[in-house]
Amino acid sequence: MDGAMGLLGGGGGGGSSGGSTDGSMSTVSKAEVVEQDYVGLMSEVSSYPAEAELELGLGLSLGGAMKAKPCAWREYGRILTAKDFPSVVSRGSSASSSSSSGRGTSTTAITGTKRTADTVAQDVGHANGASQVVGWPPIRAYRINSLASQVKASTAEEDDHSIFGNDKNKNSAKKDTNNSNNKNNSNIQEKGCRRSSLFVKVNMDGVPIGRKVDLNAHSCYESLAQTLEDMFHRPTTTVNANRSSGEKEHNLMVEAAKSSRLLDGSSEFVLTYEDKEGDWMLVGDVPWGMFLNTVKRLRIMRTSEANGLAPRFQERDQRQTPAPRLRGSKPI
Amino acid sequence: MASKRQKDSPEEEKKQASSFPDEVLECVLGFVKSHRDRSSVSLVCKDWYNAERWSRTHVFIGNCYSVSPEILVRRFPNIRSVTLKGKPRFSDFNLVPLNWGADIHAWLVVFASAYSFLEELRLKRMTITDESLEFLAKSFPNFKALSLVSCDGFSTDGLKAIVAHCKNLTELDILENGIDDLGGSWLSCFPENFTSLEVLNFASLNSEVNFDALERLVARCKSLKVLKVNKNVTLEQLQRLLVHTSQLTELGTGSFSQELTLREYSELESAFSNCKNLYTLSGLSEATSLYLPALYPACVNLTFLNLSDAALQSAELAKLLPHCPHLRRLWVLDTVEDKGLEAVGSSCPLLEELRVFPAEPFEQDVVIGGVTESGFVAVSQGCRKLHYVLYFCRRMTNSAVAAVVKNCPDFTHFRLCIMNPWEPDYLTKEPMDEAFGVVVKTCTKLQRLAVSGLLTDLTFEYIGKYAKNLETLSVAFAGSSDRGMQCVLAGCPKLRKLEIRDCPFGNAALLSGLERYESMRSLWMSACHVTMNGCRLLAREMPRLNVEVIKEDGSDDTHAEKVYVYRSVAGPRRDAPPFVLTL
C-alpha cells in the first residue's frame, strides 16, 4: 500500500524473512525469530516519524508506545536487544523495563511474558491507575468493582504494600486465612498483601459525568491527585467549558509538569471525600491507609463551596489558602 | 387460493403466482420470531416485504448507528419491543471515552409518536439519562419491560420515575451499569397497589433498599418469577423473601454470610427446600462452606449456576455440584482452581457452558492459584457436551487445548484469555498458534472466538482457512504483520464483528477488507498501526461505511489510535462528540 508496510511486511510472517535483522539467529525457535525481527526493526528506528506513512516496527508494543514522545524511541531502539528475547523462559525479565510510569516508555511490553509494575502502557484517555494496561484483562468494570468491594470489606488497612509483590506470602497465607475468617472473600486477597483494585467514583463540580479511580494504584495522595487532575483535564466539552480562559478550546491535553494543585490549594477546586459516616472531608488529613479504609467516594469540589467542610478544615479558614500540609500525606 | 382474495385491484391478475392473501401471509409471518428469518422473508418479494414489516412486533438493532429511528418507524409500524445495542464492545473495558454517544433519547422521542404502544425496551451499552427514563415512563402507557445492561448516564433517581409511573411493569432488569447509585429509595416508589412484576433484578446496584418495601412488593407480586437482589440483603432477609416466592425460577441472593442461629439456619434451609422450581441461581457473595449446604435442596433442578460473585474453594464447589445434576451452565471464579474444575468434570456431565473468571485479574506475578491448562482439560474430559467456554488463566499449553477440543469438538464459542499479553505455551515456550489452529480445524461450528497468548500470523492463517462459520473474532496483542488480519478478512465469509487491539495490523490490512465491511456489523481497531490516511482512503472508497476515528490527546495527527468502522443506512453520525472524527 505504501512504504510503511515494507517494514512490517518484511519482518512478519513467523519470521521467515530475517532480512532486516542480523543473521545471528539461524537456529533459534520460531518465537524467538519473530521477536528478533522486532529487535532488528526497532534498532533501525532512530527517530519518530514525521509522516504517517512510515510505520514503525511496533509489532508487540502496546498502544501507549504510539504516543511516545520522540525521545522515547531511542529508548526502544536501545533497550531491546536479542538477549531480552525470549524472556519466555525467564519470567523475571524486568531488566529491560524502564521504571517510569509515564506514557510511552514502556518497553517490557515487548518481552511479552511478565509485566511488572514498572511496565506501563497508558491509554491516555483513561488514566485510572498507573500500573495496568487499560482494559486488560477484558473484564467488565462492574465485575472489577464487585471484587474490589469484597476486598475492601475484609482487609485491614495497608499503607505500604508494594503494588506487585509478596507472592511468596500469598500461597501459604491463602490456605490459612480460610479458617480464621468467616468471610470467604479473604481468599481473594490475603491480609498484608496487595489488594487488587479499589475503585471509587469521582465527581467534579460542573462535570455531569463522573469517573472512577482505582485508589489501590496509588500509594500517596500526591499521585492520586495527579491522576485526578489528568483525568479531569481531559478535554470533554463540559470540562472545557469550565476551564478558565487562557486555555485552548481544542482537545489538547494540558500536559503541564505541575504538582498537584488540587492538594495545595492553588486551584479553584479542592479534593474531598465522603467517609463511611457520610461526612465530607478534605482529602489529605489522615494517613493514606486510614483514608483508604474510610473513603467511599471522591468529589472535586469548588473551593468556594468547600468552606465549613469538616471541623479540621475550619481551623484553617483563617489562612488564605488551605494548608500546605495537604501536599502529600504528612500531618502537621 | 388466489380466488379467495378479498381485495379488488388491477394488480390481481398479475399476482396469480402469489397464492396467499396478505392477511394470511401476515398471520403466518407472525409466528416467525427470529429476526434473521424475518430478514430473509423480507427479501423474497415486495409482497412479503410488506407483510413482514406489518407483522413485525420486535426489532433487534445490533448497532444503534446503523439505522436511524426515523427509518425504523417508517419501515416497521407495529413495533412493541425494541432491543438496541450501542457502543462498541470494548467500551466495557474503558477503551471508549465517556460521552461517546449512543444516547437513547432521540430514539425515545421518535418512538413516543410512532410507537405509543411500546412495551419493551432492552438496551445494551447505551447512554440513558434520568430525564430519558422519566420521559420513557410517561410516554408509553403500556410499558412493561425495561432491561439495561452495561449502560450509563443515569442514576437511581431515574429508576424512581420508571417504578412510579409504569403501572404495568413486568420486568425491571438493571445489570452491570455504570450509574450513579444515589440510594435505594427507588424501590420504595412502587405503588402499594402494584402487583404485576415478574422480573426484578437489581443485583448490581450497591445501595441498600428498604427491606420492608421489598418484602411487601415480593409478597404482593404473585407472578414474580425472577428475583435478583443485591448484596445488602442478608441471609435472614432472604429467607423472609423466599417464604413468599416459592414459584421463583431464577434467584439471585444477596450476601450469603451472616451469623445465623441454629433456628434461623433451619428456617433458611426449609425456605430453600420450597424453591423447587429454580432453574437459575446467582449471587451468593461471600458464601462460605457454613451456609452453602442450606442451598442444596434448591439446586435439584438448576440448569444455570452463577458463582462468579462467590469466591468458592475447590472443596466447597466439589460438595455443591453433586446436588446440581442437571447443570448446563456454570460460571465460577478461579478461586476454585484446577481441583474445583476436576470436580466440575466429574459432577456435571450435562454441562454445556463454562465461564471461569479471575478473582485477581490485575495480579501480574507468576501463577499463584487460579486455574491452569490442567483444569481446562479436566473439565473437557467429563463434560463432553461443552460448547461454550470463557476461560481466564495465566498459563496454557498447545497440547492442552488440543486435548480439550478433541474431547469437545462442538464448540460454538471459544474464548480463551491468557491474562499476560504475549504469553507463550507454558511448557514449550512456543507461540500458541497451534492451539487456535486445532480449535478452528476441529470445531467446525465455531461462531465466536477470542484469542490470546503469543500468536503469530499463523494463527490467523488457520482462522482464515478453517473458521468458516466464524462470526465474532476478538484479538488482542497478537499477530506479526498485516498478513494476519488479511487472512481473516479474506477467509471468514460469515464474519460480522471484528475487534482488535494492540496488534501490528496497519493500513494494508485495514484496506484489504474493503469488500468485507459492508457485510459486517462493525470493525474495531485500537492501538494498531492504522493511520489517518488509511482511514480516509477507506472512507472514500466505501461511502456507505461510517469510518470513525477517536482522537486521543497527545497522539500525533497521523496515527489513528482508535478506529471504528461500521455499515450504516443512516449516514454519518449527527451527534458525534468532538473527539470522534467521521472521515
Side-chain angles (χ1 to χ4, degrees):
Chain A
M1 182 97 249
D2 38 47
M5 297 308 113
L7 273 178
L8 280 185
S16 52
S17 65
S20 53
T21 65
D22 307 325
S24 56
M25 32 153 214
S26 47
T27 54
V28 298
S29 74
K30 197 188 252 188
E32 291 171 322
V33 169
V34 169
E35 290 161 303
Q36 292 280 9
D37 281 343
Y38 289 106
V39 173
L41 289 168
M42 285 303 194
S43 56
E44 282 172 358
V45 173
S46 56
S47 66
Y48 194 69
E51 308 102 342
E53 303 315 305
L54 188 61
E55 299 281 19
L56 301 170
L58 290 179
L60 295 175
S61 69
L62 297 178
M66 275 307 223
K67 291 179 278 296
K69 302 182 177 58
C71 59
W73 281 106
R74 294 177 203 274
E75 270 187 88
Y76 261 96
R78 170 179 61 77
I79 289 177
L80 294 173
T81 60
K83 65 181 189 320
D84 288 334
F85 297 96
S87 49
V88 293
V89 173
S90 63
R91 284 191 163 268
S93 61
S94 48
S96 54
S97 69
S98 58
S99 59
S100 118
S101 64
R103 300 174 189 92
T105 53
S106 59
T107 53
T108 24
I110 310 279
T111 66
T113 51
K114 180 180 172 181
R115 295 184 60 256
T116 67
D118 298 327
T119 65
V120 173
Q122 287 275 15
D123 190 312
V124 178
H126 303 278
N128 63 1
S131 52
Q132 323 166 10
V133 183
V134 172
W136 190 263
I139 299 179
R140 308 235 294 237
Y142 156 70
R143 191 171 289 285
I144 294 170
N145 286 352
S146 156
L147 290 174
S149 60
Q150 288 186 42
V151 168
K152 186 173 184 221
S154 72
T155 57
E157 69 173 8
E158 303 160 19
D159 286 312
D160 52 356
H161 53 272
S162 59
I163 295 193
F164 295 96
N166 292 329
D167 51 328
K168 294 185 189 53
N169 297 336
K170 260 190 183 337
N171 248 335
S172 47
K174 204 171 191 138
K175 318 284 190 249
D176 292 339
T177 50
N178 240 345
N179 309 326
S180 60
N181 195 330
N182 253 348
K183 297 188 179 192
N184 234 30
N185 52 16
S186 64
N187 295 321
I188 293 183
Q189 204 66 55
E190 296 70 39
K191 296 188 187 347
C193 295
R194 180 187 89 82
R195 290 179 198 165
S196 48
S197 15
L198 180 55
F199 283 93
V200 296
K201 281 206 75 84
V202 190
N203 285 85
M204 178 164 169
D205 284 356
V207 178
I209 307 284
R211 304 293 300 268
K212 284 200 176 108
V213 65
D214 177 10
L215 293 181
N216 274 338
H218 302 276
S219 51
C220 66
Y221 289 113
E222 193 68 42
S223 111
L224 171 65
Q226 188 66 60
T227 298
L228 290 177
E229 288 187 351
D230 291 343
M231 206 184 267
F232 283 93
H233 284 175
R234 288 288 167 278
T236 62
T237 48
T238 45
V239 173
N240 271 338
N242 285 328
R243 296 298 297 158
S244 48
S245 61
E247 299 225 319
K248 293 185 188 171
E249 284 181 15
H250 291 295
N251 297 340
L252 294 176
M253 187 169 67
V254 180
E255 177 84 73
K258 48 186 184 272
S259 63
S260 52
R261 294 165 61 225
L262 280 175
L263 291 185
D264 68 14
S266 58
S267 158
E268 62 184 283
F269 292 89
V270 288
L271 183 57
T272 64
Y273 71 101
E274 185 183 12
D275 70 3
K276 273 186 189 154
E277 275 102 53
D279 299 320
W280 285 93
M281 316 281 265
L282 208 58
V283 164
D285 285 352
V286 301
W288 176 254
M290 196 181 294
F291 166 71
L292 287 184
N293 232 24
T294 59
V295 61
K296 270 174 42 182
R297 56 181 165 148
L298 298 169
R299 177 173 159 202
I300 302 176
M301 203 184 281
R302 293 217 166 83
T303 311
S304 50
E305 286 180 30
N307 288 323
L309 192 60
R312 268 169 262 168
F313 184 73
Q314 276 163 0
E315 284 161 35
R316 290 187 294 281
D317 257 354
Q318 286 94 39
R319 307 188 204 196
Q320 291 285 40
T321 59
R325 72 180 272 201
L326 293 176
R327 191 197 311 268
S329 58
K330 293 194 172 61
I332 287 182
Chain B
M1 286 285 250
S3 58
K4 289 192 185 155
R5 235 168 239 277
Q6 290 154 15
K7 287 185 262 174
D8 257 341
S9 74
E11 287 95 6
E12 289 252 0
E13 284 123 25
K14 295 187 210 148
K15 287 187 185 172
Q16 294 289 328
S18 167
S19 45
F20 288 149
D22 292 344
E23 294 80 3
V24 174
L25 186 56
E26 280 178 37
C27 185
V28 167
L29 290 182
F31 292 103
V32 177
K33 299 286 181 216
S34 142
H35 59 270
R36 281 192 200 179
D37 287 346
R38 282 189 157 266
S39 291
S40 309
V41 161
S42 67
L43 292 172
V44 169
C45 66
K46 196 140 190 250
D47 277 353
W48 282 48
Y49 176 88
N50 281 324
E52 196 278 314
R53 60 183 271 264
W54 280 97
S55 63
R56 196 190 288 223
T57 55
H58 170 247
V59 69
F60 167 82
I61 297 171
N63 173 5
C64 64
Y65 286 118
S66 64
V67 71
S68 73
E70 291 83 13
I71 294 174
L72 179 72
V73 304
R74 206 161 51 225
R75 177 170 171 188
F76 297 117
N78 287 324
I79 297 296
R80 280 168 219 284
S81 165
V82 177
T83 303
L84 270 167
K85 291 190 182 177
K87 301 180 208 173
R89 195 179 76 96
F90 278 174
S91 74
D92 282 347
F93 317 126
N94 290 337
L95 288 183
V96 175
L98 296 175
N99 304 326
W100 179 86
D103 193 310
I104 189 67
H105 199 79
W107 294 81
L108 290 178
V109 168
V110 173
F111 290 167
S113 58
Y115 299 151
S116 55
F117 36 79
L118 189 71
E119 292 175 6
E120 297 183 2
L121 187 65
R122 294 174 201 285
L123 304 181
K124 189 167 186 181
R125 283 184 217 112
M126 299 216 40
T127 295
I128 179 164
T129 61
D130 287 346
E131 290 71 30
S132 296
L133 282 170
E134 192 170 349
F135 181 78
L136 170 65
K138 295 183 173 161
S139 308
F140 304 100
N142 279 357
F143 195 72
K144 294 204 171 98
L146 179 66
S147 169
L148 299 175
V149 178
S150 203
C151 295
D152 67 352
F154 63 103
S155 76
T156 44
D157 282 350
L159 295 181
K160 282 187 192 170
I162 297 284
V163 161
H165 295 286
C166 297
K167 308 267 177 275
N168 300 313
L169 197 68
T170 58
E171 176 174 341
L172 184 61
D173 188 12
I174 309 293
L175 191 62
E176 300 184 10
N177 300 291
I179 70 171
D180 267 329
D181 195 332
L182 301 177
S185 53
W186 59 272
L187 188 111
S188 310
C189 293
F190 278 106
E192 283 301 323
N193 60 352
F194 171 85
T195 58
S196 49
L197 204 61
E198 296 171 21
V199 174
L200 178 63
N201 177 358
F202 63 97
S204 51
L205 293 180
N206 287 327
S207 2
E208 205 166 322
V209 299
N210 180 312
F211 181 72
D212 286 333
L214 176 62
E215 193 178 7
R216 285 199 305 276
L217 178 70
V218 165
R220 65 181 186 268
C221 293
K222 304 290 184 206
S223 312
L224 194 67
K225 287 263 178 291
V226 175
L227 177 65
K228 297 185 184 174
V229 300
N230 68 11
K231 291 180 185 163
N232 297 315
V233 172
T234 66
L235 269 182
E236 189 251 325
Q237 289 172 332
L238 180 69
Q239 183 265 326
R240 282 159 61 186
L241 292 177
L242 289 178
V243 163
H244 302 288
T245 57
S246 56
Q247 76 283 10
L248 278 187
T249 58
E250 296 185 31
L251 172 66
T253 74
S255 154
F256 218 74
S257 136
Q258 193 183 355
E259 302 282 339
L260 290 181
T261 67
L262 205 55
R263 194 176 63 90
E264 283 167 339
Y265 179 82
S266 70
E267 277 176 356
L268 182 69
E269 213 176 13
S270 68
F272 275 119
S273 308
N274 284 335
C275 293
K276 290 290 188 227
N277 296 319
L278 276 188
Y279 289 112
T280 297
L281 183 61
S282 61
L284 301 173
S285 61
E286 298 165 24
T288 68
S289 39
L290 269 182
Y291 298 130
L292 276 177
L295 269 183
Y296 295 168
C299 295
V300 63
N301 287 322
L302 275 191
T303 57
F304 177 26
L305 180 57
N306 179 355
L307 297 171
S308 60
D309 282 319
L312 291 197
Q313 301 288 287
S314 53
E316 289 156 341
L317 184 65
K319 283 199 214 119
L320 171 58
L321 287 179
H323 295 269
C324 315
H326 300 289
L327 211 57
R328 303 234 185 83
R329 301 170 63 200
L330 176 64
W331 296 14
V332 291
L333 281 177
D334 64 358
T335 49
V336 302
E337 298 185 351
D338 289 336
K339 228 165 165 275
L341 294 183
E342 284 166 30
V344 173
S346 48
S347 311
C348 305
L350 301 177
L351 199 69
E352 297 173 14
E353 172 179 330
L354 174 69
R355 302 195 195 196
V356 182
F357 295 96
E360 292 178 62
F362 302 115
E363 177 54 52
Q364 291 179 12
D365 273 333
V366 182
V367 174
I368 328 137
V371 294
T372 72
E373 70 277 3
S374 51
F376 199 13
V377 174
V379 172
S380 72
Q381 274 162 353
C383 308
R384 297 301 172 109
K385 297 191 176 183
L386 201 62
H387 69 83
Y388 190 123
V389 72
L390 169 62
Y391 200 82
F392 282 86
C393 58
R394 286 194 173 86
R395 57 182 245 201
M396 188 51 59
T397 66
N398 288 306
S399 54
V401 175
V404 165
V405 299
K406 187 153 181 250
N407 291 329
C408 308
D410 296 325
F411 273 111
T412 56
H413 297 69
F414 192 92
R415 303 165 64 188
L416 177 60
C417 182
I418 306 170
M419 287 190 275
N420 290 345
W422 312 289
E423 186 79 16
D425 181 309
Y426 183 73
L427 292 177
T428 67
K429 308 307 172 194
E430 290 185 346
M432 295 295 294
D433 294 333
E434 293 308 317
F436 294 103
V438 78
V439 168
V440 292
K441 278 181 213 158
T442 315
C443 306
T444 53
K445 301 182 207 158
L446 195 69
Q447 292 168 24
R448 181 171 182 182
L449 179 64
V451 299
S452 59
L454 181 65
L455 299 175
T456 71
D457 285 343
L458 187 55
T459 296
F460 302 101
E461 284 176 34
Y462 286 140
I463 293 175
K465 191 166 174 202
Y466 295 105
K468 295 305 177 188
N469 284 318
L470 192 65
E471 299 181 18
T472 304
L473 178 62
S474 305
V475 185
F477 307 107
S480 339
S481 75
D482 285 323
R483 181 175 155 67
M485 188 170 159
Q486 285 166 336
C487 285
V488 169
L489 287 169
C492 298
K494 294 199 183 171
L495 194 64
R496 290 187 305 117
K497 289 177 275 186
L498 181 55
E499 44 187 29
I500 301 174
R501 64 166 290 179
D502 294 279
C503 295
F505 304 140
N507 292 339
L510 175 72
L511 294 166
S512 71
L514 268 185
E515 314 293 314
R516 291 303 322 273
Y517 301 133
E518 277 188 2
S519 61
M520 288 169 55
R521 182 187 295 176
S522 64
L523 165 72
W524 168 278
M525 286 180 80
S526 60
C528 296
H529 295 170
V530 176
T531 69
M532 294 297 289
N533 281 343
C535 295
R536 285 190 197 106
L537 191 61
L538 175 62
R540 200 161 59 231
E541 294 296 310
M542 306 296 296
R544 284 186 305 200
L545 295 179
N546 281 356
V547 179
E548 295 176 3
V549 174
I550 297 175
K551 286 309 279 177
E552 296 282 306
D553 320 310
S555 65
D556 79 289
D557 291 326
T558 50
H559 179 236
E561 176 66 19
K562 293 178 179 171
V563 181
Y564 185 46
V565 178
Y566 57 92
R567 64 182 177 187
S568 176
V569 296
R573 285 175 62 176
R574 280 164 294 181
D575 63 349
F579 54 84
V580 173
L581 307 176
T582 305
L583 302 178

